[in-house]
Amino acid sequence: MLKQIEGSQAVAEAVAMCRPEVIAAYPITPQTHIVEGLAAMVREGKVGTCQYINVESEFAALSAAIGASAAGARTYTATSSQGLLFMAEAVYNASGLGLPIVMTIGNRAIGAPINIWNDHSDSMSMANSGWLQLFAETNQEAVDLHIQAFRLAEQLSVPVMVCVDGFILTHAYERVDIPDPDQVDRFLPGFEPVQVLDPDDPISMGAMVGPEAFMEVRYLAHHKQMQALEAIPALAADFAESFGRESGGLIAPYRTEGAETVVLALGSVNGTLKDAVDEMRADGQSVGAIKIVSFRPFPLAQLREALAGAKRVVVVEKDLALGLGGIVASNVRMALRGLATPVYTVIAGLGGRSITKRSLTRVIAAATTDTLEDPHFLDLDWQAVDSELARWKERRRAGPIAENLLREMGLVGHRPHGTEGPTS
Amino acid sequence: MSQRVKFYQTGTFTVGNRLLDADQRTVQATRERNNSLTSGHRACQGCGEALGARYAVDAAMRAADNRLVAVNATGCLEVFSTPYPESSWQLPWLHSLFGNAPAVAAGVAAALRAKGDTRTRVLAQGGDGGTVDIGFGCLSGMFDRNDDVLYICYDNEAYMNTGVQRSARTPAAARTATTPAVGEHPGNVMGQGKNPALIAMAHEIPYVATASVADLHDLEAKVTRAMGMGGARYIHIHVPCPLGWGSRPCDTIMLARLAVESGLFPLYEAEHGEVVDVTPIRRRVPVEDYLRPQKRFAHLFRGEGQAETLAAIQATADRNIRRFGLVPEEVS
């Protein structure tokens, strides 16, 4: 059914249709609307016998989810940013135990400075935790990926993060085709756990494992990710057949036929990127785009094949590996290892900075002439940065960085800390 | 039973088991006993925690008609019971992390409720570090929500698994690896620490009790009582640790008993935040009797000794005795 609906509410409705039995969540912006919606639906009796646990922290949220999943319940939670970091220990624990929990990440920057807006630093910090990570481009895809995520998680007995850009998607009202509950029931069978805490068949879960078997346990977790490389496209095909629309998969190329320059991105920025590609194509430029849906497992072979004809690759990413550069770009370079294809990194949209079509077009154009520096920081205010760097040189007690920058940019009234003379 | 005369085992004040009604007797070995924590585990000789856990979990199993799920915090109990590929647990058992056992157990309880399983019960357990330090937020959350979980803390008063470091349950003046017996005030700092049973009571949960491996019959009765209730329940069990306390393995029960008889570890039960029963001290002993056999307190008795510190520890015991009315004649 077509609805004009907020992204979070659409996700909540999709999750409810997947019949979770236990939901444990803790409030954090911008994920809150999702779990608020679910709390209401549970209270109204719309989610069967589902139990909604109001926990005291994100660490407890995922911990309760671990207990519930180990007891054989279909389990869901959601978080963002600091919340994901606070549950980090449990993130690794859930995947180590092989529990098929589904968690929405309302993607948000990580502080300090504290910032509630969108980027991908949070999910990226847990990229190697053993969870599958699927990124949604639109709210329709967010809905569809959640339905696929439960089946994928339970099929492989591995936890899945569905990453949805905070505010840009979670708080956006747009048209979403909300599936019919019967359709979801047909697509998603009941949860048959591979291990369960059952008094009739007692098992010990979470034993201490030493050097004699730890590597094998970790390898098997990696093996599940490799299995997901096959399961994800198969599931997307099955989904398309059941629901009549394409959603998910490992990657989604856009106008890459014969493209000399191919731009890669995760999540909602792909919408802007497609517009930029259209504009540049109309202008006669040989440009295409590829959306990476599955960041974990990372589709190395699929990307290498999709990029076989490209002369250069531009990765637009909403994260920054401090001291290295691009996280996604590093992964893409691994996909292209042995080839001479240059990979340009564009660090963009950190902490909610808008990524405009004009700016994207500008950097892609620079890449096509191989004049783009790597990494490129999209729309960085170099004047403010240079001025702060100069201040660091001038005085030892340079003061707080974030506050100085805000003053430098004239966003707050006073001049930077320790600046002589009257304020202007 | 109409027997009124009580016979006590010599020097122990423990009532003879045979004089109790059959249903109240402590039975250590019977084919019916589940042995939830079965033999072959790797606890140290004289481990109070292994003893306490064996009795507590079996009592809970009996009360739950053998339908019990246990969630374990990281710690000695977890490590000595499940070195891969072995497990001593004869019941469904899950270890997740150090600080999350109460939340994991809450999740298990929620799953059972969602599935309409009203028979299977949930037990969570951990040491004092996992309970009162790193797991305290999750424990308070479990109390706050009144989750249907019995949480048992085995308190050996320090981080024994990592090599005897101070916890919030380490008593005043005790030597640990991080509170060395050096300086003007050797050992753990006086005036620190927290009392989780009283904090549990402040949550007004249905049941809180303290117990000791010195009185296994009382321990079993309290676990059975707790299992007869729903909601969040907390039992704090005092379990001496020969390794961490520097005591002889054969003295574990004696030390546990001296802790109770000195007033340093009061035994009581509370319902909804109110104390409903206390175990009176039959033969009161000075704290020195309890402290002296333990090497962790050796500095209190060396050279000139630490008379002031000893007096302060005695004052703590005296306060417990007054507060809980542990010596009836002193109350009236």
Side-chain angles (χ1 to χ4, degrees):
Chain A
M1 189 176 67
L2 290 177
K3 278 188 179 176
Q4 188 70 19
I5 189 170
E6 192 206 25
S8 295
Q9 193 58 34
V11 168
E13 290 193 16
V15 169
M17 266 182 254
C18 294
R19 303 189 188 283
E21 293 167 290
V22 174
I23 298 169
Y26 185 79
I28 183 167
T29 303
Q31 150 277 160
T32 29
H33 290 187
I34 300 172
V35 294
E36 284 171 10
L38 281 163
M41 282 185 271
V42 169
R43 192 61 77 85
E44 289 159 5
K46 292 177 179 167
V47 201
T49 57
C50 179
Q51 304 291 310
Y52 187 102
I53 314 177
N54 278 296
V55 286
E56 73 282 355
S57 72
E58 288 91 355
F59 178 60
L62 191 53
S63 297
I66 286 168
S69 187
R74 180 170 288 165
T75 306
Y76 172 81
T77 186
T79 193
S80 298
S81 179
Q82 319 291 143
L84 183 63
L85 294 198
F86 195 41
M87 62 168 69
E89 194 189 10
V91 170
Y92 275 74
N93 191 250
S95 63
L97 291 169
L99 297 172
I101 298 162
V102 172
M103 171 159 66
T104 308
I105 306 298
N107 286 116
R108 165 182 154 181
I110 292 171
I114 188 168
N115 174 300
I116 62 167
W117 308 103
N118 168 245
D119 68 33
H120 291 163
S121 309
D122 48 6
S123 295
M124 292 295 162
S125 76
M126 292 293 126
N128 302 320
S129 63
W131 288 58
L132 306 185
Q133 286 193 347
L134 308 176
F135 281 77
E137 179 191 342
T138 62
N139 281 334
Q140 184 66 62
E141 192 164 47
V143 162
D144 298 346
L145 284 179
H146 278 89
I147 297 164
Q148 295 184 31
F150 279 102
R151 195 167 124 184
L152 182 63
E154 289 166 14
Q155 183 182 325
L156 299 172
S157 207
V158 64
V160 179
M161 283 180 205
V162 181
C163 305
V164 182
D165 283 327
F167 291 108
I168 297 170
L169 293 179
T170 58
H171 287 54
Y173 280 75
E174 56 184 25
R175 196 182 75 162
V176 178
D177 189 352
I178 301 286
D180 186 52
D182 293 338
Q183 240 179 332
V184 177
D185 282 345
R186 281 194 298 276
F187 181 78
L188 179 64
F191 174 32
E192 290 272 356
V194 299
Q195 52 180 349
V196 65
L197 298 166
D198 177 5
D200 292 323
D201 181 18
I203 52 165
S204 296
M205 285 174 73
M208 183 172 179
V209 175
E212 68 282 4
F214 193 83
M215 275 195 66
E216 285 71 17
V217 174
R218 296 314 286 172
Y219 171 76
L220 288 168
H222 176 67
H223 184 77
K224 283 186 185 181
Q225 296 261 341
M226 298 302 103
Q227 285 180 313
L229 284 173
E230 289 171 20
I232 290 168
L235 204 57
D238 199 7
F239 184 89
E241 199 171 307
S242 302
F243 294 83
R245 62 174 171 272
E246 303 278 340
S247 249
L250 294 167
I251 55 172
Y254 182 76
R255 302 187 75 172
T256 50
E257 318 78 41
E260 292 183 352
T261 303
V262 177
V263 189
L264 272 52
L266 283 72
S268 63
V269 74
N270 278 286
T272 317
L273 184 56
K274 284 176 189 171
D275 286 349
V277 166
D278 287 345
E279 210 173 271
M280 294 179 83
R281 280 273 185 176
D283 200 31
Q285 301 192 60
S286 177
V287 175
I290 295 176
K291 168 173 70 172
I292 300 173
V293 182
S294 170
F295 186 65
R296 285 294 180 272
F298 194 73
L300 292 170
Q302 292 76 4
L303 271 176
R304 189 182 178 91
E305 193 189 330
L307 294 171
K311 286 197 175 153
R312 63 190 70 78
V313 176
V314 181
V315 179
V316 176
E317 55 183 303
K318 295 181 176 185
D319 56 70
L320 172 60
L322 303 168
L324 173 68
I327 299 170
V328 184
S330 301
N331 285 248
V332 171
R333 285 193 183 99
M334 190 169 169
L336 299 178
R337 63 191 179 278
L339 302 180
T341 320
V343 176
Y344 297 100
T345 314
V346 177
I347 305 293
L350 299 186
R353 175 74 52 92
S354 291
I355 303 175
T356 63
K357 186 174 64 180
R358 179 190 290 189
S359 297
L360 275 181
T361 311
R362 192 184 69 238
V363 291
I364 297 167
T368 57
T369 54
D370 289 314
T371 53
L372 187 65
E373 79 277 20
D374 180 55
H376 177 84
F377 292 85
L378 192 73
D379 294 339
L380 191 77
D381 185 338
W382 282 105
Q383 193 192 332
V385 167
D386 289 341
S387 148
E388 182 62 10
L389 287 173
R391 282 168 33 71
W392 291 3
K393 234 180 199 172
E394 267 168 33
R395 54 179 68 234
R396 172 74 198 154
R397 185 176 283 202
I401 301 162
E403 288 74 3
N404 285 345
L405 279 170
L406 290 173
R407 288 186 185 117
E408 180 67 36
M409 292 172 176
L411 296 172
V412 291
H414 297 283
R415 298 294 298 270
H417 182 76
T419 306
E420 305 296 330
T423 56
S424 55
Chain B
M1 194 179 75
S2 55
Q3 177 85 44
R4 291 205 156 272
V5 183
K6 299 270 186 187
F7 293 92
Y8 300 98
Q9 287 172 19
T10 311
T12 69
F13 290 97
T14 305
V15 71
N17 203 32
R18 281 170 299 162
L19 299 177
L20 291 165
D21 287 328
D23 64 339
Q24 287 185 10
R25 286 179 199 161
T26 297
V27 181
Q28 295 193 24
T30 160
R31 287 194 347 200
E32 280 74 49
R33 189 180 182 118
N34 186 71
N35 294 314
S36 305
L37 176 61
T38 199
S39 57
H41 60 68
R42 300 181 187 182
C44 304
Q45 204 176 29
C47 174
E49 186 174 37
L51 180 66
R54 172 168 146 75
Y55 275 74
V57 181
D58 271 355
M61 275 292 268
R62 272 197 297 282
D65 202 15
N66 291 340
R67 297 194 69 81
L68 187 69
V69 173
V71 174
N72 218 119
T74 308
C76 276
L77 180 60
E78 168 259 327
V79 169
F80 75 61
S81 65
T82 58
Y84 177 86
E86 299 154 11
S87 174
S88 292
W89 298 102
Q90 305 296 302
L91 78 171
W93 180 91
L94 168 63
H95 160 246
S96 172
L97 295 167
F98 199 2
N100 71 354
V104 173
V108 174
L112 294 170
R113 203 157 53 244
K115 291 177 175 302
D117 182 345
T118 53
R119 292 165 60 209
T120 305
R121 307 297 302 278
V122 184
L123 172 81
Q125 52 187 355
D128 49 295
T131 304
V132 310
D133 285 345
I134 197 169
F136 208 54
C138 285
L139 186 68
S140 179
M142 188 202 105
F143 291 161
D144 154 48
R145 294 182 301 269
N146 199 27
D147 292 318
D148 190 14
V149 174
L150 168 60
Y151 190 99
I152 296 180
C153 171
Y154 305 104
D155 178 10
N156 56 21
E157 303 185 335
Y159 290 88
M160 302 314 185
N161 190 41
T162 44
V164 199
Q165 296 83 19
R166 179 205 180 271
S167 83
R169 287 297 300 165
T170 300
R175 180 202 68 196
T176 68
T178 50
T179 55
V182 296
E184 205 179 334
H185 300 286
N188 193 30
V189 178
M190 187 73 68
Q192 295 186 346
K194 51 183 155 182
N195 189 324
L198 291 178
I199 299 170
M201 284 167 62
H203 290 73
E204 305 199 348
I205 56 174
Y207 186 75
V208 174
T210 59
S212 168
V213 287
D215 191 344
L216 293 169
H217 187 75
D218 177 67
L219 186 161
E220 287 183 314
K222 283 168 175 167
V223 171
T224 308
R225 184 127 190 264
M227 290 299 292
M229 302 177 183
R233 293 140 290 147
Y234 179 77
I235 300 180
H236 190 93
I237 303 178
H238 199 224
V239 292
C241 169
L243 178 83
W245 294 13
S247 56
R248 298 189 306 169
C250 61
D251 285 344
T252 290
I253 304 297
M254 181 195 80
L255 284 173
R257 187 163 56 243
L258 290 170
V260 172
E261 290 179 341
S262 63
L264 283 175
F265 194 86
L267 297 181
Y268 56 93
E269 290 179 279
E271 292 180 15
H272 300 288
E274 306 290 336
V275 174
V276 293
D277 202 7
V278 302
T279 302
I281 296 173
R282 292 176 188 279
R283 180 192 59 184
R284 189 176 175 184
V285 299
V287 293
E288 198 178 324
D289 287 13
Y290 167 66
L291 302 174
R292 205 177 265 280
Q294 305 179 48
K295 287 206 184 79
R296 63 174 172 160
F297 294 114
H299 51 280
L300 297 181
F301 305 102
R302 210 174 284 139
E304 290 173 18
Q306 299 268 337
E308 246 177 73
T309 307
L310 273 174
I313 297 172
Q314 184 61 56
T316 305
D318 295 347
R319 177 166 183 255
N320 283 340
I321 287 168
R322 279 197 311 279
R323 187 177 196 174
F324 293 98
L326 299 175
V327 179
E329 55 270 28
E330 285 193 11
V331 176
S332 51

